[in-house]
Each structure stands twice: as C-alpha cells, then as structure tokens.
Amino acid sequence: MVHLGRPDKGMPAFPNLTDAQTHDIAQFLLGRTQAAANRMDYKVQNIVTGDAKAGQDYFESHCAGCHTSTGDLAHIARKYEPTALQNRFLYPGNFNPYGMGPPPDPRAEKQVTVTLPSGATYSGVLAHIDDFSVALRESSGTYRSWIYDDVNGIRVEVHDPLAQHLHLLHHYSDADMHNILAYLETLK
C-alpha cells in the first residue's frame, strides 16, 4: 500500500522505497505510538552521573543552613530512587498533579500571618492568596479568609519554607544538579 499510496485519502505513493525501508518506517511509527501509550512506563537510566565530592561541596555551601546529612536527609537515598530524589530537591513542593508519590510534606506548607487594623493576628497554613483575598487554616482546623486591598490596612506576611529551593532552581547548572544528586546518593 505504501508503494502505491492512497491518493483518494491524501497519501502519496512512494514507489522508490524498498521493502526494508518500508519496514523500518513502520517499526519507527509503531514504536512512537507505543511510547505515547506507555509514557508512564518510561524509565530514566544512568541519571547518577555527577561528582559526589563536588556535590557535597555545593551542599555544604548552599544547603547546610537548612538540611543535614545526618538529620533530615539521613538515609535519603534509601527512601527514593535517583529520579525521584532529584525531582524532590529540584521541585520540592507539594504539587502532585497525578496523585502519585509520597504524601505532601507538612514542613513544605506555606505559612501566613494576617494582621488586622485592630492589631489582632491570625496565623496558619496558607489556603489561598491572590491580589484581593487571603485564606488560611489554623492549627485547630478553623478556616479564615479576608478581603484586602491597599486601603483597608490588613497586612499579610507569607513564609515559604521552599523559597530557597525555588531561588536555587534558577541558579543550578546542569553539573550542579548532577553533582548534588551524586552526593545525595551517598546518603544511604
């Protein structure tokens, strides 16, 4: 059919292709459709390619203010496969579009303090914020929200424990990422 084409369906003829070339094209197209159908089965291989010593040096100068290899990151490489571990330090937020993976880490939740004109303050986990409103959930479970603008005197302070990770994401070189992962993989 490839040699003759299907002009009535818009497919031109390819009379000069050999049977081997036609077979190769068919195999390529089959592989592409299978890859699209099974994209969740894709396995990254050989991701740990960095220099562990350089990764340790980077960690000590950029990460050790918040993390320790014997505290919160002790045995981290036992808990996560290399790809998941790299994703956790590059994109550590609680966003999980497919509902897969570990549960959200409560230490990563944004905290907010709202101060009213009266001086009363309310603090909790940030539930929502935009240019016009803010909402939080207190430790008791109480949900509170306010409408605010520049005029009504409500002050909002947000603390994002992941802000440094987001900042570093724009500064990591490819070598930095691979080196940090190589170092984290030594923490078994």
Side-chain angles (χ1 to χ4, degrees), residues 107-121:
R107 296 173 300 171
E109 293 177 325
K110 291 180 182 177
Q111 300 292 315
V112 63
T113 299
V114 175
T115 304
L116 303 180
S118 67
T121 62

Side-chain angles (χ1 to χ4, degrees), residues 101-180:
D105 184 343
R107 296 173 300 171
E109 293 177 325
K110 291 180 182 177
Q111 300 292 315
V112 63
T113 299
V114 175
T115 304
L116 303 180
S118 67
T121 62
Y122 298 89
S123 297
V125 174
L126 180 65
H128 171 82
I129 191 166
D130 60 28
D131 291 342
F132 310 103
S133 63
V134 61
L136 60 83
R137 185 161 310 278
E138 294 176 316
S139 60
S140 66
T142 303
Y143 181 88
R144 298 186 183 273
S145 64
W146 297 267
I147 303 293
Y148 70 94
D149 57 30
D150 293 337
V151 178
N152 68 9
I154 292 176
R155 194 173 75 234
V156 177
E157 296 173 44
V158 177
H159 170 68
D160 182 357
L162 301 177
Q164 184 62 18
H165 281 263
L166 297 174
H167 171 75
L168 284 173
L169 184 59
H170 300 289
H171 299 285
Y172 289 129
S173 68
D174 286 347
D176 293 334
M177 289 183 248
H178 291 292
N179 293 341
I180 294 166

Side-chain angles (χ1 to χ4, degrees), residues 60-87:
E60 289 173 358
S61 65
H62 292 86
C63 309
C66 297
H67 304 286
T68 66
S69 60
T70 57
D72 65 324
L73 296 181
H75 312 293
I76 191 78
R78 286 190 204 164
K79 297 174 188 171
Y80 301 101
E81 292 295 317
T83 304
L85 182 55
Q86 182 173 335
N87 285 340

